[in-house]
Amino acid sequence: MAKPIITLRGLKAVIMLGMLVVIMAGIKVAADIIVPFILALFISVILNPVIHRLEKLRVPRVLAISLVVAIIVLSMALLLAYLGTSLNELARTLPQYRSSLIAPLQMLEPWLQRAGIVISVDELLRYIDPNAAMTLVTSLITQLSNAMTSLFLLLLTVVFMLTEVPQLPIKLQQLMARPTEGMGAIQRGLDSVSHYLVLKTAISLVTGLVIWAMLVMLDVRFAFVWALLAFSLNYIPNIGSVLAAIPPVAQVLVFSGFYDALIVVTGYLAINLVFGNIIEPRMMGRGLGLSTLVVFLSLIFWGWLLGPVGMLLSVPLTIVVKIALEQTNGGKSIAVLLSDVSKA
């Protein structure tokens, strides 16, 4: 009689892998529902320490939540109004880009020919269509006007989550077979995610303000838009700061020339060097407990699974997964692969 080819352990691994694929497929299909919930959850994690501080000052929790949410709504309304005005101005400016590109391309053409690259400026300009960019900006303005409804539902979810926080530990303890170990793991995960998100938000905010001040001093148009972009993309590890620098550098290169663009590039490099390589690692303390490769791969994975929000929250999501894996015998080895041994 032939021996079975697949062992019981191998069969278990295949079944678990199949279940994981089904779960990921379900998450990807239901991303429109899951992403707002995850975003509301992480916003609640950021705001809960603020609510807790207000409670220590003897402010009732309901009043503290109302005050914080009211400040957020007012700030978002002012921000969206100013951003909408800036995007409208940007849409009116876009047709100028095509005519402004002629001189830089004509200067670049002899250099390319010396390098053996034969290119015609007239042919290249045919592929540059400002109408496509104008359509993109117009759609962004439309989406901003429709965003208030989504933001309202998101903040409403955040309010209910923050209201539920005091009762949540009791409910979770009743669901767990080992309440002490389970609550310890949840608290460790909350502490790690809260520590990361609060510090990352503060650093991103200061980075955006410094970039805004730098662009205003250099008289770069749409400085507020580029500063807001820098604040948002700073949440994306490794490549976020690089992506945020591309639009303002391209704008300055087209309208002001190579040397002004070089100054802007130098400013971005200096700011990201100071905040990304000096201030942020010191404020984060011992680190995230994740290897650099895992951080980069998690950016790709969560971006594929959940879209842009997944890229923004790739690090805290991976931290949660790592802590969850540490609680199971089969997942401990995977958690070790995810961790940074040098900071263990």
Side-chain angles (χ1 to χ4, degrees):
M1 186 176 178
K3 294 182 179 179
I5 298 174
I6 302 176
T7 62
L8 183 61
R9 189 173 180 180
L11 184 61
K12 248 187 221 184
V14 171
I15 293 173
M16 289 182 66
L17 186 61
M19 290 172 62
L20 185 63
V21 170
V22 171
I23 291 170
M24 285 194 297
I27 291 173
K28 192 165 179 62
V29 170
D32 292 339
I33 300 172
I34 294 173
V35 167
F37 176 78
I38 293 175
L39 192 57
L41 182 62
F42 281 111
I43 292 174
S44 302
V45 170
I46 294 174
L47 295 180
N48 192 56
V50 180
I51 305 297
H52 189 61
R53 288 287 179 89
L54 291 174
E55 281 185 308
K56 284 186 176 180
L57 297 174
R58 297 183 180 178
V59 178
R61 187 172 185 86
V62 176
L63 181 59
I65 294 172
S66 302
L67 284 173
V68 171
V69 171
I71 292 171
I72 291 174
V73 169
L74 182 61
S75 302
M76 290 298 294
L78 294 173
L79 182 67
L80 288 174
Y82 189 77
L83 185 59
T85 305
S86 300
L87 287 176
N88 271 320
E89 187 181 353
L90 179 60
R92 289 194 299 268
T93 309
L94 281 173
Q96 301 175 15
Y97 278 77
R98 192 173 187 274
S99 58
S100 300
L101 278 171
I102 296 175
L105 289 175
Q106 286 176 342
M107 292 175 60
L108 189 64
E109 187 177 9
W111 290 41
L112 294 174
Q113 288 177 352
R114 289 174 192 170
I117 302 173
V118 180
I119 188 169
S120 171
V121 174
D122 295 331
E123 288 293 330
L124 189 60
L125 285 172
R126 291 180 185 176
Y127 295 98
I128 300 172
D129 184 12
N131 293 326
M134 287 186 68
T135 304
L136 176 62
V137 174
T138 305
S139 66
L140 283 174
I141 296 170
T142 306
Q143 288 176 11
L144 278 175
S145 62
N146 296 331
M148 292 306 295
T149 305
S150 302
L151 285 174
F152 175 75
L153 294 175
L154 182 67
L155 287 174
L156 198 61
T157 308
V158 170
V159 168
F160 284 119
M161 285 182 175
L162 289 172
T163 308
E164 193 73 14
V165 167
Q167 293 81 28
L168 196 59
I170 301 171
K171 294 180 179 180
L172 290 175
Q173 284 179 349
Q174 294 176 353
L175 292 174
M176 294 176 182
R178 295 180 296 174
T180 305
E181 293 84 349
M183 290 305 297
I186 290 174
Q187 189 60 49
R188 193 163 67 255
L190 285 174
D191 290 342
S192 299
V193 172
S194 177
H195 176 75
Y196 172 80
L197 286 176
V198 170
L199 287 180
K200 192 69 174 176
T201 300
I203 292 169
S204 299
L205 182 60
V206 176
T207 302
L209 290 173
V210 172
I211 287 176
W212 188 13
M214 178 196 72
L215 295 177
V216 168
M217 285 190 296
L218 295 174
D219 198 24
V220 177
R221 298 184 66 182
F222 314 114
F224 178 77
V225 176
W226 308 138
L228 185 62
L229 185 68
F231 164 75
S232 304
L233 295 184
N234 198 55
Y235 283 93
I236 301 177
N238 301 325
I239 63 172
S241 56
V242 177
L243 295 176
I246 293 174
V249 170
Q251 173 189 308
V252 174
L253 182 63
V254 170
F255 284 103
S256 303
F258 176 77
Y259 293 106
D260 289 336
L262 188 60
I263 293 172
V264 174
V265 170
T266 305
Y268 267 93
L269 286 175
I271 292 169
N272 290 313
L273 179 66
V274 171
F275 284 95
N277 296 338
I278 299 175
I279 295 177
E280 186 172 325
R282 288 188 179 183
M283 292 184 69
M284 291 294 181
R286 287 173 57 85
L288 305 171
L290 302 173
S291 70
T292 307
L293 177 62
V294 168
V295 170
F296 181 72
L297 293 178
S298 68
L299 171 67
I300 299 172
F301 172 76
W302 293 112
W304 165 78
L305 191 63
L306 299 176
V309 173
M311 297 178 72
L312 295 174
L313 299 175
S314 59
V315 172
L317 285 169
T318 308
I319 292 173
V320 171
V321 170
K322 176 177 173 287
I323 292 174
L325 289 171
E326 289 174 347
Q327 307 312 307
T328 61
N329 294 327
K332 285 181 180 178
S333 56
I334 302 175
V336 171
L337 292 175
L338 297 177
S339 61
D340 187 358
V341 179
S342 63
K343 295 180 180 178

